[in-house]
């Protein structure tokens, strides 16, 4: 191990998103629009030892940033045990988790104590009725309680992810910024993407990053780019308004950032996708469970990345 392979765009392996479950307790229309899904069978999910083993192999190949995600990652029982293991891997200098926040009120302290430093919480609207129509569940209060618990638990940074959809929440942008700033959270606006479950995606519903900035400049003063300090591969470009407010904008629809991107993802059943948009994944679980050694798995990953 110890090699740092580069792909055809000369990108190193830098970050890995690890999905710990495909399940979710919400049904956001842009992600999981159907009422019922056929979930992965329990035995196909990687267990925590298998996830940790793969994570260590990826770290040996140059990955230094891990993000735990889902589905909804807090549905996975005992998640803080995995957090503690991943946080202890030498070479991991950034460990974060993305959650819909519905279970954060119960989980925040445990996650923080286990070594999780950064959190991203998704919240698309400040209006409970809108959240219910978007997600089919009446869980707005739970997310707000979760955010408050997370603030109390003392994470180093908490980002608030908002997918902007025209005609749904684009009249709330300034309110969301004020809501986030008042709690010490960094707001991040994400362009609505045509991915996976976004079955009703329409180009006209996308509000571009440029329009988001224009609208917010009217409230908070002219926007200056702060760039991606310390991390050119970060998905969000950060902007500072005239009054000092800082936000992030992820323009993955109008300005995809492929040449700077270093994110790959591992699904809950151990498939490795080299891009968030990739259609085909590589079956690492098959290798792992077929008895391959760490060196063999590492060599296979490096060869595929190249
Ligand atoms: N369940 C967790 C959550 O919602 O935060 C983690 C998984 S979720 C797939 C990760 C992020 O992807 C969320 O912030 C969500 O809003 C975003 N997302 C999902 N579908 C999207 C889409 N069609 N366009 C833009 N962002 C999307
Ligand atoms: Fe669940 Fe997150 Fe997808 Fe919403 S965006 S359905 S919370 S996985």
């Amino acid at each position: 191990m110890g090699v740092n392979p580069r792909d055809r765009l000369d990108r190193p392996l830098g970050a890995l998103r690890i999905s710990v479950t495909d399940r979710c307790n919400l049904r956001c229309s842009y992600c999981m629009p159907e009422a019922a899904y056929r979930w992965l069978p329990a035995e196909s999910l990687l267990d925590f030892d298998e996830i940790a083993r793969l994570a260590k192999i990826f770290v040996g190949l140059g990955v230094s940033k891990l993000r735990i995600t889902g589905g909804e990652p807090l549905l996975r029982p005992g998640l803080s045990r995995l957090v503690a293991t991943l946080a202890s891997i030498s070479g991991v200098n950034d460990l974060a988790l993305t959650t819909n926040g519905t279970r954060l009120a119960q989980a925040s302290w445990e996650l923080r104590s286990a070594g999780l430093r950064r959190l991203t919480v998704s919240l698309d609207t400040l209006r409970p009725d809108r959240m219910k129509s978007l997600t089919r569940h009446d869980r707005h209060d739970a997310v707000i309680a979760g955010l408050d618990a997370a603030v109390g638990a003392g994470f180093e940074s908490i980002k608030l992810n908002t997918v902007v959809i025209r005609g749904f929440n684009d009249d709330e942008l300034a309110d969301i910024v004020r809501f986030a700033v008042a709690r010490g959270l960094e707001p991040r606006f994400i362009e609505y993407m045509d991915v996976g479950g976004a079955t009703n995606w329409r180009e006209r519903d996308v509000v571009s990053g440029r329009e988001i900035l224009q609208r917010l400049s009217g409230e908070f003063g002219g926007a200056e780019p702060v760039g991606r300090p310390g991390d050119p591969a970060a998905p969000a470009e950060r902007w500072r308004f005239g009054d000092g407010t800082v936000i992030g904008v992820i323009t993955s629809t109008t300005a995809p950032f492929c040449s700077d991107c270093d994110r790959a993802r591992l699904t809950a059943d151990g498939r490795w996708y080299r891009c968030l948009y990739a259609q085909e994944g590589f079956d690492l679980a098959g290798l792992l469970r077929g008895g391959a050694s760490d060196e063999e798995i590492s060599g296979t990953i490096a060869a595929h990345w190249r």
Side-chain angles (χ1 to χ4, degrees):
M1 286 198 274
V3 279
N4 289 308
R6 300 234 164 202
D7 74 353
R8 273 184 288 179
L9 292 175
D10 198 34
R11 300 173 302 186
L13 264 165
L16 182 67
R17 290 173 190 233
I18 300 173
S19 169
V20 292
T21 178
D22 58 329
R23 293 172 191 237
C24 191
N25 55 348
L26 300 183
R27 289 289 174 278
C28 303
S29 63
Y30 52 66
C31 177
M32 292 191 193
E34 312 300 334
Y37 281 87
R38 190 186 293 262
W39 305 113
L40 290 170
E43 65 276 10
S44 75
L45 296 190
L46 294 181
D47 66 28
F48 289 168
D49 289 340
E50 290 172 322
I51 294 176
R53 187 172 160 210
L54 285 178
K56 278 184 199 147
I57 292 171
F58 274 100
V59 170
L61 290 167
V63 166
S64 62
K65 294 174 284 179
L66 299 178
R67 177 172 293 277
I68 299 171
T69 181
E72 173 45 41
L74 296 186
L75 296 189
R76 182 87 189 239
L79 187 69
S80 49
R81 275 192 289 120
L82 178 69
V83 167
T85 307
L86 297 180
S88 71
I89 297 176
S90 155
V92 172
N93 50 36
D94 187 24
L95 177 63
L97 177 137
T98 305
T99 172
N100 64 27
T102 52
R103 295 196 170 189
L104 257 187
Q106 299 84 350
S108 281
W109 279 101
E110 213 179 299
L111 291 170
R112 183 70 187 102
S113 310
L116 187 72
R117 283 149 62 169
R118 299 201 305 113
L119 203 58
T120 299
V121 182
S122 304
L123 181 66
D124 299 322
T125 172
L126 299 177
R127 291 181 39 179
D129 58 321
R130 285 187 179 178
M131 179 168 172
K132 190 172 177 197
S133 75
L134 179 78
T135 70
R136 299 193 192 202
H137 290 271
D138 203 358
R139 303 304 306 279
H140 202 267
D141 287 353
V143 180
I144 303 298
L147 277 168
D148 289 341
V151 170
F155 286 95
E156 285 173 15
S157 108
I158 306 176
K159 295 192 168 117
L160 194 73
N161 264 8
T162 301
V163 179
V164 184
I165 302 176
R166 195 177 303 283
F168 169 68
N169 61 353
D170 58 328
D171 57 343
E172 294 187 63
L173 304 184
D175 290 340
I176 289 171
V177 171
R178 288 190 201 96
F179 169 90
V181 170
R183 287 167 171 74
L185 322 173
E186 181 166 317
R188 294 206 310 184
F189 294 105
I190 309 177
E191 288 178 351
Y192 182 19
M193 288 185 272
D194 183 14
V195 285
T199 46
N200 293 320
W201 186 89
R202 296 178 307 185
E203 196 171 349
R204 65 172 183 270
D205 295 337
V206 177
V207 181
S208 69
R210 178 191 290 256
E211 183 179 338
I212 292 169
L213 286 169
Q214 266 168 3
R215 290 207 201 176
L216 289 172
S217 296
E219 298 271 342
F220 303 108
E224 294 283 340
V226 189
R228 297 174 166 91
D231 184 4
E237 172 128 42
R238 296 170 82 235
W239 295 81
R240 182 175 291 113
F241 294 107
D243 72 350
T245 303
V246 174
I247 68 162
V249 181
I250 302 183
T251 53
S252 31
T253 296
T254 63
F257 37 85
C258 301
S259 62
D260 287 327
C261 175
D262 62 357
R263 264 166 303 283
R265 66 190 160 101
L266 183 65
T267 60
D269 61 347
R271 299 190 76 81
W272 172 47
Y273 288 76
R274 285 161 283 175
C275 166
L276 301 182
Y277 282 105
Q279 298 294 318
E280 278 188 32
F282 186 87
D283 182 17
L284 291 179
L287 271 185
L288 201 74
R289 293 178 177 179
S293 67
D294 287 3
E295 285 69 26
E296 284 164 340
I297 298 172
S298 174
T300 304
I301 294 171
H304 276 266
W305 186 251
R306 286 191 191 105

